[in-house]
Amino acid sequence: MDFPTLSAFAVFVCIMTGTPGPGNLTFLAIGSSRGFKAAFPIIIAAQIGNVPVNVLIALGLGAIMSAGGPLQTAFTYASLAYMIYLAWRIVLMTIKENGDVRPPSFWEGLWIHPLSPKTWAMGVSAYGLFLTDTNMDISQKLLFLVVGFMLGGLVFHSLWAFVGESMLRVLGNGRTMRIVTIVMAVLMVAVSVWSLMS
């Protein structure tokens, strides 16, 4: 991969992993209700869960998913169900007393990217735009896709969780913070629905 293509790929990854999506809004909400420390294990889990997504995209499943059919329909329902479940967990963390409801677990975090429509869309786009027409072999393409999105995810998911924690420090744990966190949970579902339907 030449330097201009590599630079464009890096910018694409930064934009895609840095903009709002189900993952970033989840980490913002966890950071705002429990702080960065509680969000970090889930951020790590999400990066691990993203690896098989990128491997499957590089092996051709992304094209199959993009073509529609029963597999895409099943993914749509599973994705929407999981994002609603995550949003409900975030709302429960917000409305219950601190400590009554635990944040999403490491194992729940593993499913954030495999069931996020944004993750699949950005992986398929990155592969098609930057890796399809290169002279790299499949293992090199996989390495770029996996490492690029893992680094971007670690940096930007962490930043979103830090922003959430900063909001918690500024707004406190009162009614305003609860309203903000519930709005973020609703936005997470709305972004998922928009991604799935567009």
Side-chain angles (χ1 to χ4, degrees):
M1 186 182 284
D2 58 30
F3 183 74
T5 307
L6 180 59
S7 302
F9 175 71
V11 169
F12 179 88
V13 168
C14 288
I15 291 169
M16 291 295 105
T17 56
T19 50
N24 284 335
L25 291 171
T26 297
F27 302 124
L28 177 69
I30 295 169
S32 69
S33 60
R34 292 292 191 272
F36 177 78
K37 217 170 174 183
F40 190 68
I42 308 155
I43 291 169
I44 296 297
Q47 301 324 302
I48 295 169
N50 198 21
V51 172
V53 172
N54 288 317
V55 170
L56 290 171
I57 286 169
L59 295 177
L61 186 60
I64 295 168
M65 290 279 282
S66 300
L71 185 62
Q72 188 185 41
T73 302
F75 170 77
T76 298
Y77 287 119
S79 176
L80 194 53
Y82 193 68
M83 294 308 152
I84 290 169
Y85 166 76
L86 267 182
W88 177 242
R89 296 274 281 109
I90 289 163
V91 168
L92 281 180
M93 280 190 324
T94 304
I95 60 177
K96 300 261 186 175
E97 288 297 320
N98 205 354
D100 284 355
V101 178
R102 60 178 178 77
S105 69
F106 181 89
W107 303 107
E108 290 170 307
L110 285 173
W111 291 100
I112 289 175
H113 284 309
L115 291 175
S116 168
K118 182 187 174 192
T119 301
W120 282 89
M122 63 190 192
V124 169
S125 297
Y127 193 82
L129 288 169
F130 303 106
L131 299 171
T132 302
D133 296 329
T134 64
N135 56 4
M136 296 188 295
D137 62 34
I138 189 69
S139 61
Q140 291 172 312
K141 292 177 181 181
L142 271 172
L143 187 66
F144 268 96
L145 204 60
V146 169
V147 172
F149 280 112
M150 186 175 281
L151 290 175
L154 278 171
V155 170
F156 289 103
H157 291 343
S158 296
L159 284 174
W160 280 81
F162 272 125
V163 169
E165 184 176 64
S166 301
M167 289 168 61
L168 180 61
R169 286 180 184 158
V170 171
L171 298 176
N173 226 345
R175 186 170 178 266
T176 304
M177 191 68 244
R178 285 196 293 274
I179 291 169
V180 168
T181 306
I182 289 167
V183 167
M184 286 186 287
V186 171
L187 278 174
M188 185 180 78
V189 174
V191 166
S192 298
V193 171
W194 178 81
S195 298
L196 288 165
M197 300 307 165
S198 58

